[in-house]
Amino acid sequence: MKINGIKALDYQCQGDSLTLVLSETTFDAVSNLNTALIEVRTDDGDLVEAHGGYALRAITYDKDKQTYAVVCTTAADDTTAQAISQLVAKVEELETSNTALAAQVDYISMMTDTDTGVE
């Protein structure tokens, strides 16, 4: 799985805290993580969960495991507003994609009906 494009081994959301375990990355990438909108995706890029309105609170590097533990907590209102704006943009993008897919399904259905003679 990936979190905002970084390989993730685990994540936990408990109350106001979100903890991420990230690997195969650098401190710079982790410290610049967009915590206003955290997207959890499969390795194929499918969205699993999205968390918004967090702020980075701590980064701990485990030398033996070569992983970063990232602790985020709910953030101030300006970060929440930014996250909401980003979520709105994502929803609009998904609605457009959904409309295009629905049109393709309708077309395939029409072609299948035509090919089999079913009306």
Side-chain angles (χ1 to χ4, degrees):
M1 101 182 97
K2 291 188 177 187
I3 295 178
N4 289 14
I6 299 173
K7 183 174 181 177
L9 302 179
D10 193 16
Y11 69 98
Q12 293 182 351
C13 186
Q14 295 178 342
D16 291 343
S17 180
L18 179 63
T19 303
L20 317 171
V21 180
L22 307 174
S23 68
E24 298 178 18
T25 188
T26 64
F27 178 81
D28 286 339
V30 173
S31 64
N32 289 311
L33 187 69
N34 177 11
T35 56
L37 179 60
I38 297 174
E39 294 181 335
V40 180
R41 294 185 176 270
T42 64
D43 290 336
D44 293 331
D46 299 321
L47 184 64
V48 177
E49 284 186 356
H51 300 273
Y54 284 90
L56 185 62
R57 293 294 178 228
I59 301 172
T60 306
Y61 182 69
D62 184 324
K63 185 178 177 182
D64 294 333
K65 296 178 183 176
Q66 296 187 350
T67 59
Y68 290 91
V70 180
V71 178
C72 303
T73 57
T74 51
D77 290 337
D78 56 45
T79 305
T80 302
Q82 180 184 3
I84 290 170
S85 295
Q86 290 175 350
L87 286 171
V88 167
K90 290 281 183 189
V91 167
E92 290 172 353
E93 177 183 308
L94 290 171
E95 287 175 342
T96 301
S97 177
N98 190 34
T99 301
L101 287 173
Q104 290 175 354
V105 168
D106 288 344
Y107 177 76
I108 290 169
S109 178
M110 180 188 71
M111 294 304 292
T112 303
D113 290 347
T114 303
D115 291 344
T116 61
V118 176
E119 295 183 32

